[in-house]
Amino acid sequence: MGNTAPDAHCSRKGCREAATWALVWNNPRLHTPDRRKVWVACDEHRAYLAGFLEMRGFLRETVPMDRFEG
């Protein structure tokens, strides 16, 4: 999947909160089925970022950062 630093900040533009969630996704038009990209989110922005990815059919899973093996 890719490395995500333990002190990662939320992927929401302008947010500097610590990330507590890993949103694992891929764009099937661009990526092979096994390729995974990761956005990280704080508690406040998890739903927003997940909704953005889900609307496009990109979201594969949401994992707490303490259980994410990236």
Side-chain angles (χ1 to χ4, degrees):
M1 281 189 213
N3 291 336
T4 303
D7 60 345
H9 298 293
C10 181
S11 296
R12 173 80 164 126
K13 185 176 181 178
C15 183
R16 299 303 297 158
E17 292 296 315
T20 53
W21 297 95
L23 288 75
V24 182
W25 63 279
N26 86 343
N27 179 341
R29 290 184 184 183
L30 301 176
H31 307 125
T32 59
D34 60 326
R35 172 115 188 249
R36 293 294 184 259
K37 306 279 283 176
V38 178
W39 282 356
V40 294
C42 65
D43 289 335
E44 180 181 351
H45 294 119
R46 174 187 170 202
Y48 173 83
L49 293 170
F52 181 91
L53 293 168
E54 283 177 339
M55 249 192 316
R56 290 154 179 80
F58 295 172
L59 187 63
R60 300 299 172 243
E61 65 179 322
T62 301
V63 182
M65 287 292 286
D66 61 355
R67 291 195 345 224
F68 178 68
E69 297 179 20

